[in-house]
């Protein structure tokens, strides 16, 4: 077993463990931390696939921006946790079934693909992926890139307008 295989299994384990942990937790902030662990595991898998640009985007966009947006949404909403209202995710049996399900799925995937032949490497990657992506993005895809940025800006303004309307209604009550 090579170092790449060991790194793959450790990063995949981190990603899966983060996802399963997120489902088992009850505190929303702890769920976000488990989700960040999943995002970093996936970013590590992208690095193993020689997709450094996608790995950096994964860390910056998902682990950074999306997580911060989730935390702000949690802090800005009325989130009251009483001990009486506290939801549980099940007991020991629920967690044992979840763990056994993850292990069974991992074993099924392992035994399903270990004898699989993917063939020769079809295409050689360029030495500088980010440079190639930047050239194609800002030469061939400039107009679609700008259209997407305008759509995102309109969505941001719409979210602010909707939040302002909700804020005014909450003050009147």
């Amino acid at each position: 077993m090579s170092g790449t295989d060991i790194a793959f299994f450790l990063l995949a384990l981190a990603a899966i463990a983060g996802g399963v942990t997120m489902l088992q937790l009850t505190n929303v902030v702890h769920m976000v931390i488990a989700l960040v662990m999943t995002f970093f595991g996936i970013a590590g898998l992208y690095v193993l696939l020689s997709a450094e640009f996608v790995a950096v985007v994964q860390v910056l966009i998902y682990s950074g921006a999306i997580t911060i947006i989730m935390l702000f949404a949690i802090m800005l909403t009325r989130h009251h946790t009483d001990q009486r209202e506290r939801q549980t995710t099940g007991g020991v049996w629920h967690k044992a079934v979840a763990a056994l399900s993850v292990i069974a799925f991992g074993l099924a995937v392992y035994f399903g693909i270990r004898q699989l032949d993917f063939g020769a490497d079809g295409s050689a990657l360029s030495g500088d992926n980010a440079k190639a992506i930047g050239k194609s993005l800002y030469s061939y895809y400039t107009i679609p890139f700008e259209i997407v940025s305008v759509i995102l800006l309109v969505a941001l303004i719409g979210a602010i307008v909707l939040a302002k309307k909700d804020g005014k209604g909450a003050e009147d009550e």
Side-chain angles (χ1 to χ4, degrees):
M1 191 176 263
S2 68
T4 305
D5 293 338
I6 294 171
F8 172 78
F9 284 120
L10 290 177
L11 289 169
L13 180 66
I16 293 170
V20 172
T21 303
M22 186 192 73
L23 295 175
Q24 298 294 325
L25 295 173
T26 56
N27 189 341
V28 183
V29 177
H30 294 156
M31 290 171 136
V32 171
I33 293 170
L35 190 62
V36 168
M37 185 171 102
T38 301
F39 289 152
F40 276 113
I42 292 171
L45 291 173
Y46 286 142
V47 169
L48 286 178
L49 292 171
S50 298
E52 294 87 9
F53 179 78
V54 180
V56 169
V57 168
Q58 172 81 17
V59 169
L60 289 178
I61 301 299
Y62 287 111
S63 299
I66 300 295
T67 304
I68 295 301
I69 288 171
M70 290 171 66
L71 288 175
F72 279 141
I74 292 165
M75 291 188 304
L76 293 175
T77 57
R78 296 181 190 137
H79 186 72
H80 302 291
T81 54
D82 267 345
Q83 290 296 347
R84 290 176 288 142
E85 297 176 7
R86 189 174 176 99
Q87 297 177 354
T88 61
T89 58
V92 176
W93 289 107
H94 185 261
K95 293 178 182 180
V97 167
L100 288 175
S101 300
V102 168
I103 291 170
F105 177 74
L107 289 173
V109 168
Y110 175 74
F111 288 118
I113 66 170
R114 78 176 175 166
Q115 299 296 329
L116 205 62
D117 183 24
F118 291 108
D121 191 17
S123 64
L125 295 173
S126 66
D128 198 3
N129 291 351
K131 187 175 181 180
I133 290 172
K135 278 185 176 179
S136 66
L137 185 64
Y138 290 116
S139 60
Y140 301 112
Y141 300 107
T142 303
I143 300 297
F145 182 74
E146 292 299 324
I147 290 172
V148 168
S149 67
V150 169
I151 290 172
L152 288 173
L153 181 63
V154 168
L156 178 66
I157 292 170
I160 291 171
V161 168
L162 289 174
K164 287 287 187 179
K165 284 182 182 176
D166 289 344
K168 288 180 183 177
E171 290 174 4
D172 294 337
E173 290 177 2

